[in-house]
Amino acid sequence: MANRFEIDGEEVLDGEVKPFGNSAHVTVPKRWCGADVKVVRTSEPTEQDEE
């Protein structure tokens, strides 16, 4: 069962986490630069081959 979180915010963005070097990232609009953000994982990650 998933946890439930309640967050007060300005906007919601649905996105996909993509590989980036030895890490991963989520792209957000440039206009969000300098803003405080929170990221919530809403599904289990798919299995990736380790390189």
Side-chain angles (χ1 to χ4, degrees), residues 26-45:
V26 177
T27 303
V28 298
K30 194 170 190 174
R31 60 183 158 64
W32 286 19
C33 285
D36 293 328
V37 298
K38 297 183 184 329
V39 177
V40 177
R41 183 171 53 86
T42 58
S43 67
E44 290 294 324

Side-chain angles (χ1 to χ4, degrees), residues 4-23:
R4 182 177 174 87
F5 299 93
E6 185 172 323
I7 301 171
D8 293 328
E10 302 295 325
E11 285 181 82
V12 173
L13 175 69
D14 287 326
E16 180 181 344
V17 179
K18 298 183 180 177
F20 187 77
N22 291 334
S23 187

Side-chain angles (χ1 to χ4, degrees), residues 19 46-50:
T46 57
E47 290 188 24
Q48 299 284 330
D49 291 335
E50 293 292 324

